[in-house]
Every structure is written in C-alpha cells, then in structure tokens.
Amino acid sequence: QVQLVESGGGVVQPGRSLRLSCAASGFAFNSFEMDWVRQAPGRGLEWVALTSYDGGNTRYADSVRGRFTVSRDNSKNTVYLQVNSLTVEDTAVYYCARAVYGGSLDFWGQGTLVAVSS
Amino acid sequence: DIVMTQSPLSLPVTPGEPASISCRSSQSLLHSKGYNSLDWYLQKPGQSPQLLIYWGSHRASGVPDRFSGSGSGTDFTLKISRVEAEDVGVYYCMQALETPRSFGQGTKLEIK
C-alpha cells in the first residue's frame, strides 16, 4: 500500500535551516509528481512546492520562493524540502503528498512539525 | 495567482440531512484537455487531508457515493446527500490548474 513518511521537523531559531524528508513506498515513486503542503497551527492548508517525477521541474509558492528548495532522489524513493532562513511564519505541519491526474493529491503523509521560535 | 473562495466557512448539519459547500475561483479552472482542475479534500480532526473529488466531479477511490461534486469554470459545489457523524471535519477546495496551487479557506462541518 502507498505510504508517505515525513521526518526532519523540529524546533529551530529564526534564520536557521532544516531539511525535511518524505520517504515513499508502495508505488512507482519515479513516475509521480510530489508536492509539499503546510498547515500553520489552527489555520488552513497552504501549498508550498512541487517537483516533477524526475526532478526536472520545480515550482514554489511566492511565500517560500528563494528560501525553500524541493528535490528528490528516485534511487532512495525520497523527496526533500530544504527550508532556509526560517521565520516564525514558517511554523507549521509540513505534509508531502503524491500528485495524480494533473495535480490532485491522492495520498498524504502524516506530516512533520516545524516550529520556529527564539 | 488564482484565489479560491469557499462558503460557508461554518456548516452545522443534522445527521441524515444534506449539506452543500460552494467554491469559487478567480479565474476559470477549465483545463485545455476538457476537465476542470478542481479538487475537494476533507481533513478530519487530527488527521491528514484526504482526497474526495478530483476534476470537479470524479469521486476518489473509496469515497462514499453520498459525496458528489459539480460545477464548471469558476463555480463549484460539493454536496453530501445525507450527512453522517464521520463526515465532520474541514473541507477544502483546491485548484490544480496552475502553480502556485491554491486552497480555499476551508469549511468546517459540524454535527448539530
């Protein structure tokens, strides 16, 4: 069965960096676009970034462009989100999700919490 | 960027009664391939979101047939024919036509 497991979250100070990982299993990882979506505490969903099936095409939300980088290692069935220059506004649960049908997110991980605090 | 607007933001419903949520986009979501790039998701309390409807009206695998999606262009609706207790949570629409993808604000469905 499809599984997505995020890791790498934690408590960090403003200005610092983290690398989030999402390990996939149960499907042909190298055939699917992968997305990152975040949710600040008590707030709605915010789309963050995507990477195409081969990593050759990436897209970002305006709020993170230039600070976040999405990448993937198809040999490890893992997608990454490098998050730099963190601010308190980046505090959220970060979900990875598999994209199908041109962008619909049919499987989601359980999320990893990033808390930015001094 | 495409802006998604949902209404209502809060929806109290009696079990067994129908429910309807509206989603409007700031521009047409009609894809060149002929489908509408509009999804509906449900986030149950304490859980990750789950896909309910894709392409505006196609139920995702395992989704009960009491859920239906309709609409085209800029106006879309999610309907639940008879609400059950397990349907509580926050419902989001999302456009997948272009990046950045964008979600509606969410509609919180609660049981009366």
Side-chain angles (χ1 to χ4, degrees):
Chain A
Q1 71 282 19
V2 173
Q3 277 199 308
L4 299 171
V5 180
E6 301 95 335
S7 60
V11 180
V12 294
Q13 294 179 324
R16 303 299 290 267
S17 300
L18 281 175
R19 188 175 82 157
L20 309 182
S21 300
C22 170
S25 60
F27 66 99
F29 179 74
N30 59 8
S31 297
F32 289 85
E33 170 192 309
M34 297 296 295
D35 289 44
W36 287 93
V37 175
R38 68 183 180 182
Q39 185 171 37
R43 305 294 296 273
L45 301 174
E46 179 187 15
W47 181 83
V48 173
L50 70 80
T51 173
S52 60
Y53 70 99
D54 62 355
N57 184 23
T58 58
R59 294 287 187 269
Y60 298 93
D62 294 344
S63 59
V64 307
R65 189 177 294 112
R67 298 188 301 122
F68 289 13
T69 302
V70 60
S71 62
R72 65 192 297 160
D73 185 338
N74 284 347
S75 69
K76 296 182 178 180
N77 286 359
T78 301
V79 59
Y80 304 99
L81 187 67
Q82 178 71 38
V83 296
N84 298 333
S85 304
L86 285 162
T87 73
V88 294
E89 287 74 32
D90 296 317
T91 294
V93 173
Y94 286 73
Y95 297 100
C96 68
R98 185 180 82 167
V100 294
Y101 312 137
S104 305
L105 305 177
D106 69 336
F107 282 97
W108 297 61
Q110 85 290 346
T112 187
L113 175 62
V114 173
V116 184
S117 173
S118 54
Chain B
D1 296 359
I2 299 176
V3 177
M4 307 298 292
T5 304
Q6 288 181 230
S7 63
L9 300 185
S10 179
L11 184 58
V13 184
T14 301
E17 294 296 305
S20 179
I21 301 170
S22 172
C23 176
R24 290 187 171 178
S25 57
S26 60
Q27 62 191 73
S28 176
L29 301 184
L30 185 60
H31 193 281
S32 59
K33 294 184 178 180
Y35 60 85
N36 286 279
S37 294
L38 186 284
D39 303 328
W40 289 98
Y41 298 87
L42 165 60
Q43 187 174 31
K44 296 182 178 182
Q47 296 186 18
S48 302
Q50 61 185 91
L51 178 65
L52 293 177
I53 302 287
Y54 64 95
W55 292 356
S57 61
H58 294 253
R59 271 190 302 277
S61 177
V63 175
D65 60 8
R66 64 179 181 275
F67 291 92
S68 64
S70 63
S72 184
T74 60
D75 291 335
F76 299 89
T77 302
L78 176 70
K79 292 183 179 178
I80 310 173
S81 59
R82 294 174 302 280
V83 170
E84 298 186 4
E86 66 180 24
D87 300 334
V88 298
V90 182
Y91 291 78
Y92 296 92
C93 60
M94 186 195 85
Q95 66 81 16
L97 182 67
E98 59 183 47
T99 57
R101 311 271 194 244
S102 44
F103 290 91
Q105 315 97 301
T107 296
K108 186 173 185 177
L109 185 148
E110 60 179 25
I111 298 296
K112 282 184 181 176

